[in-house]
Amino acid sequence: MTQSFLTEEPQREEPTTPASPASKPVKLGRKRDHTRDPAILEAALAVLAETGYDGMTIDMVAARAKAGKATLYRRWPSKAELVLDAVACLKKADTDPARLPDTGTLRGDLTAMIKPHTIEDGERKLQIMAGLMSMLNSTPELVDTATAAIVDPRVAVNRIFLRRAVDRGEIPSDCDLETLALVSPSMAAFRVLVLKKTVDRDFLLSLIDGVILPAVGLGVGPTRRLTEDGSTDTR
Amino acid sequence: MTQSFLTEEPQREEPTTPASPASKPVKLGRKRDHTRDPAILEAALAVLAETGYDGMTIDMVAARAKAGKATLYRRWPSKAELVLDAVACLKKADTDPARLPDTGTLRGDLTAMIKPHTIEDGERKLQIMAGLMSMLNSTPELVDTATAAIVDPRVAVNRIFLRRAVDRGEIPSDCDLETLALVSPSMAAFRVLVLKKTVDRDFLLSLIDGVILPAVGLGVGPTRRLTEDGSTDTR
DNA sequence: TATATACGATACTATTGAGTTTCGGATCTT
DNA sequence: AAGATCCGAAACTCAATAGTATCGTATATA
């Protein structure tokens, strides 16, 4: 089970034709309304982000989705599977190189990703990740699922920007691109998950100008430098 | 309540002198055996690291410490307070500059910290941190406690090494030392908490040689890019 | 229209675990 | 010695919740 819309058995090929001589278990009665799946999964993610996996109850999710508890259990066999499916169905950030910013400089590309919407989306996903933490040990496959949905896309974007910079000769080709692409996702996650601070523009700029760009040999331009002791927070 | 040994009311100043005319509540009977506190806190940390806060039960801790459940509740009012105290009493890594390696180079200092014992200790603390994750939202003060016990010492060590390198002129003084000191603690934590991978020597070296040193203008190893690149550099 | 199934709501069952109490025995003060 | 308090062990209370079952209603097939 990976995608919620595929949790049911594959559609009967011709549900309208009854003319089957042999064993053809045609479904009778009201059909399951799969148009509600996204709302339920969305509710699960919201509760997950707010209360964490252990604090989350099925009743909370059902109430938030305005659905009955039994409906949830008709579609997912357990709380764990529901959460797993919700994470798997999380819409990934766009990593299509064609739709990514391409400003001609590494710094331009990296800072172009600092947009309110992007920051909000990232924060929300990290809150979801925080809610998943207690589940990661008991559900090993969740590590891959969550990584694929939340971490990998961010890393992929950074990798693209770095590779472009190498290709255009802006930075040397012997940089450790893989490790560098992990820097900001790791440090942003750490900041949200452990430090419980927000990931704001200043923090992201301090990563770009204080770590990434210097590490590829691009000293920071005329401006920049974060005031001692980190950026604004608010926890 | 911060240190386990201080959880009890401050010692009666003269418990042996009964000659008090007014209200002097002298304690009678068997004394609480505080020599067992460390074993109990140690058991709590072990269970915490293994099962996480939600999976951890008081009975597990009592059993592991070979103590009675009631004994634990005589000393700590709740599961949460026990855990909080256990984390607060975690022995911090040594950050005394006098006992830190001082090899004369930044890379020497940083790699000198890569020792089996140091790695093991760090891994254990990160497992404890992982176990605390689900508690961080409901217990805000735990953020500071855990940060002080687990994160801050590591950051402090890196800060010392970086500052030394500045002082000896090895690296420029306008580096963002605060952000750089956070890199390896953040990325190691992320690797353990989210990726569920181990923090091994290779990973730590890739942080040092792929991120930290390049970011302060020290290409890795004896040879490195900037020299043959023509222009002096640009750092 | 008759039948089968999904729906939301709600009651129910069974388990788990935090925190309390009780007990026989040990250790302290006086 | 006597009384108070600690100890580990184990029984107990009580609230929360995952998962199931039931109900009246809505919607599908035949």
Side-chain angles (χ1 to χ4, degrees):
Chain A
M1 170 185 316
T2 57
Q3 293 286 111
S4 67
F5 306 155
L6 303 178
T7 48
E8 295 310 296
E9 56 275 88
Q11 315 296 82
R12 306 299 170 201
E13 47 281 3
E14 284 292 328
T16 53
T17 59
S20 43
S23 62
K24 205 69 165 290
V26 180
K27 279 276 200 110
L28 268 296
R30 184 175 175 176
K31 284 170 184 162
R32 187 163 295 175
D33 181 8
H34 275 173
T35 67
R36 308 227 29 187
D37 283 2
I40 296 171
L41 295 172
E42 203 56 41
L45 292 174
V47 176
L48 190 62
E50 285 169 22
T51 71
Y53 180 75
D54 297 283
M56 156 184 175
T57 71
I58 295 290
D59 291 282
M60 287 182 201
V61 178
R64 164 114 31 164
K66 296 198 216 315
K69 193 182 186 178
T71 298
L72 272 64
Y73 276 104
R74 264 180 226 114
R75 305 181 187 206
W76 294 276
S78 69
K79 176 182 167 181
E81 300 257 13
L82 167 62
V83 170
L84 210 49
D85 204 24
V87 174
C89 292
L90 242 185
K91 214 185 76 193
K92 297 178 187 176
D94 193 355
T95 63
D96 181 353
R99 281 188 296 273
L100 251 24
D102 191 349
T103 64
T105 67
L106 179 55
R107 185 172 198 279
D109 289 351
L110 291 173
T111 56
M113 293 296 289
I114 308 182
K115 289 275 171 53
H117 173 271
T118 311
I119 290 182
E120 270 173 45
D121 181 71
E123 195 108 25
R124 171 183 146 81
K125 291 199 168 109
L126 288 179
Q127 296 296 349
I128 292 170
M129 180 68 88
L132 291 174
M133 289 287 95
S134 63
M135 200 183 165
L136 285 181
N137 280 320
S138 50
T139 313
E141 66 266 36
L142 180 59
V143 174
D144 294 326
T145 305
T147 301
I150 299 175
V151 180
D152 288 347
R154 303 264 161 184
V155 175
V157 168
N158 289 333
R159 187 162 29 219
I160 289 168
F161 290 157
L162 287 165
R163 212 175 287 280
R164 274 190 196 154
V166 169
D167 290 345
R168 74 168 79 94
E170 186 183 4
I171 67 176
S173 63
D174 65 343
C175 292
D176 188 347
L177 301 192
E178 284 308 310
T179 305
L180 287 170
L182 257 174
V183 169
S184 75
S186 295
M187 293 184 69
F190 180 79
R191 187 173 167 93
V192 170
L193 301 186
V194 176
L195 269 21
K196 296 289 174 189
K197 295 182 183 175
T198 63
V199 170
D200 54 15
R201 175 181 179 80
D202 285 345
F203 172 71
L204 292 172
L205 281 176
S206 73
L207 294 185
I208 294 171
D209 292 328
V211 183
I212 312 277
L213 294 183
V216 296
L218 297 172
V220 57
T223 55
R224 208 51 66 209
R225 162 56 26 75
L226 188 53
T227 61
E228 189 93 341
D229 150 49
S231 54
T232 63
D233 61 70
T234 37
R235 128 121 35 144
Chain B
M1 169 186 313
T2 58
Q3 293 287 114
S4 65
F5 306 155
L6 302 180
T7 48
E8 294 312 296
E9 56 275 89
Q11 316 294 84
R12 306 301 170 200
E13 47 279 3
E14 284 293 330
T16 52
T17 58
S20 45
S23 63
K24 204 73 167 287
V26 180
K27 278 276 201 112
L28 267 297
R30 185 175 175 176
K31 283 170 184 164
R32 186 163 295 174
D33 179 11
H34 275 176
T35 66
R36 307 222 22 155
D37 283 3
I40 296 171
L41 295 172
E42 203 56 41
L45 292 174
V47 176
L48 190 62
E50 285 170 20
T51 71
Y53 180 75
D54 298 284
M56 157 184 174
T57 71
I58 295 290
D59 292 281
M60 286 182 202
V61 178
R64 164 114 31 162
K66 296 198 216 312
K69 193 181 185 177
T71 298
L72 272 64
Y73 277 104
R74 265 181 226 114
R75 304 180 188 208
W76 294 276
S78 69
K79 176 182 167 182
E81 300 256 14
L82 167 62
V83 170
L84 211 49
D85 205 25
V87 174
C89 292
L90 242 185
K91 213 184 77 190
K92 298 177 186 177
D94 194 356
T95 63
D96 181 353
R99 281 187 297 273
L100 251 24
D102 191 350
T103 64
T105 67
L106 179 57
R107 186 172 197 279
D109 290 349
L110 291 173
T111 56
M113 293 296 288
I114 308 182
K115 290 274 170 55
H117 172 270
T118 311
I119 290 182
E120 270 173 45
D121 181 71
E123 196 108 25
R124 173 184 143 82
K125 290 197 168 114
L126 288 179
Q127 296 296 348
I128 291 170
M129 180 68 89
L132 291 174
M133 288 288 94
S134 64
M135 200 182 165
L136 285 181
N137 280 319
S138 50
T139 313
E141 67 266 37
L142 180 59
V143 175
D144 294 326
T145 305
T147 301
I150 299 175
V151 180
D152 288 347
R154 303 264 160 186
V155 176
V157 168
N158 289 334
R159 188 166 23 223
I160 289 167
F161 289 158
L162 287 165
R163 213 174 286 280
R164 273 189 196 155
V166 170
D167 291 343
R168 73 168 80 95
E170 187 182 4
I171 66 176
S173 62
D174 67 341
C175 291
D176 188 346
L177 302 192
E178 285 308 310
T179 304
L180 287 170
L182 256 174
V183 169
S184 76
S186 294
M187 293 184 69
F190 180 79
R191 188 173 167 92
V192 171
L193 301 186
V194 176
L195 270 21
K196 297 287 173 188
K197 295 181 183 173
T198 63
V199 171
D200 53 14
R201 175 181 181 79
D202 284 346
F203 172 72
L204 292 172
L205 280 176
S206 72
L207 294 185
I208 294 171
D209 292 329
V211 183
I212 311 276
L213 295 182
V216 296
L218 298 172
V220 60
T223 61
R224 239 352 162 207
R225 53 186 154 90
L226 292 184
T227 47
E228 69 255 47
D229 164 14
S231 66
T232 43
D233 69 2
T234 46
R235 184 202 1 106

